[in-house]
Amino acid sequence: MTIRLTNTKTRRKEPFKPIDRENVQMYVCGPTVYDRAHLGNARPAIVFDVLFRLLREVYGPDHVTYVRNFTDVDDKIIARADETGRDIGQITAETTQWYLDDMAAVGVMEPTHMPRATDYIPQMVAMIEGLVKDGHAYAAEGHVLFAVDSWKDSYGKLSGRSVDDMIAGARVEVAPYKRNPMDFVLWKPSTGDQPGWDSPWGRGRPGWHIECSAMAKALLGDTFDIHGGGNDLMFPHHENEIAQSCCANHTDRMANVWLHNEMLQVEGKKMSKSLGNFFTVRDLLDQGVPGEVIRFVMLSTHYRKPMDWTEKKREEAEKTLRKWYAQVSEALDNAEPYENVVQALEDDLNTAGAIAELHQLSLAGDTPSLRSSLRLLGFLDNGIPEWAAVPQVDLFPYVSLLTKARETAMETKDFAEVDRLKTLLTEAGVEVRMSRAGVDLIPDAGFDPSKLEGILS
């Protein structure tokens, strides 16, 4: 089956055809590093991590290049330095490591490349120079701005809006040096106490949008396969990336496929500090919520639908993972991912469908396929996590006891003893499964071996 992805630019689900099967390329916009990653920041990291894993599964681990950047020069970072009196370099180094640690905790693999914007200033300056030379940008009062009118017929195709509509509906910076309200900053002047670099337009720093265009070109080339991010970046960030990249590289596209994940809610409401429902990934981890549980809840909703984080979902996710980890704890790690799980992911990254297939594998007792399929979805990278470890208790005597009780009950038609044993096992945290094939006992969340004492006597 071919991977099919919903391309934001065409509004269609399309077969994915890489430019080069030997080097499939993906770029995803990463964080601006000035604080802890909030829960919403984790969604694109997890979504595109699953896509990275799927591409590696289909094309081979050595044939996929994934770039996710760090924005380490930005007005928010400067503001944080002013607030705290700390050095900008210290802030960005610290918060970058925070991000890496928190994403690792939720099972996100490190991409092939993680460029920092400040390492690519010369490439940004060169790209801006080319845009000015070709008439797509102009200098004004120490700034350099992209001239939207120079690419007006194509600007807005990603978000599906005309320039006039965008002007009417967008918050655009009003500045006397702009020729058009929609023109956006490529380079801005820096004062003496702000980070800055020498350029043909004076000492300054790059605008936000040019960063990704320069880094993507340097690491992936003029055109590549997939560009992803949250749908809040579609306009203006991704729209501006396309405009400046196509004009600078003399191409008709930046990426062949554009993917955008929907936003996150908490208990049905938009996450915000004013509502008191704003929290970071680290907040949850410090409260004892396992990273695998955060990942599971995220993947339980399709990436193109709003994801609602609820306490109920968290509890159910932890219970499910405990059960599955107990099932696969002794399974050999030599099976291929279950075909139906792979097919669900190939169908526009349907992680919710993939999880439904995992439930079926669990019910069928196919533990090797369950284990390998969990790994494909980003679980078990480091084995069974400590929080889900089940006490090693030999349950075979209890299986034998319940099997004999059931055989007797089938003859006498009196199931009281079977029901009694099932109740005792369930109270001890053991899931009881009875079928024609026999009896299975699976330690569940909260399994307490001490509660089994006396059952055999």
Side-chain angles (χ1 to χ4, degrees), residues 88-147:
I88 286 177
Q90 291 179 335
I91 291 173
T92 58
E94 178 181 62
T95 51
T96 294
Q97 192 58 52
W98 283 351
Y99 181 85
L100 292 174
D101 292 343
D102 292 348
M103 292 308 105
V106 296
V108 174
M109 295 171 58
E110 289 195 356
T112 316
H113 302 289
M114 296 185 289
R116 288 160 170 74
T118 52
D119 291 335
Y120 288 81
I121 300 297
Q123 290 88 337
M124 297 176 204
V125 171
M127 182 172 278
I128 296 170
E129 285 184 300
L131 289 169
V132 172
K133 180 181 177 182
D134 291 342
H136 292 296
Y138 59 94
E141 298 185 23
H143 296 74
V144 182
L145 298 107
F146 182 87

Side-chain angles (χ1 to χ4, degrees), residues 239-257:
E239 202 76 75
N240 292 351
E241 277 189 58
I242 293 173
Q244 62 202 11
S245 290
C246 289
C247 290
N249 301 331
H250 306 102
T251 60
D252 64 348
R253 66 190 65 193
M254 181 184 185
N256 285 340
V257 180

Side-chain angles (χ1 to χ4, degrees), residues 40 43-44 47 229-232 260-264 302-307:
R43 192 177 193 196
V47 165
N231 69 356
D232 58 325
H260 292 91
N261 64 272
E262 257 287 357
M263 295 294 98
L264 175 136
H302 193 279
Y303 77 93
R304 290 192 297 108
K305 295 181 179 179
M307 209 294 294

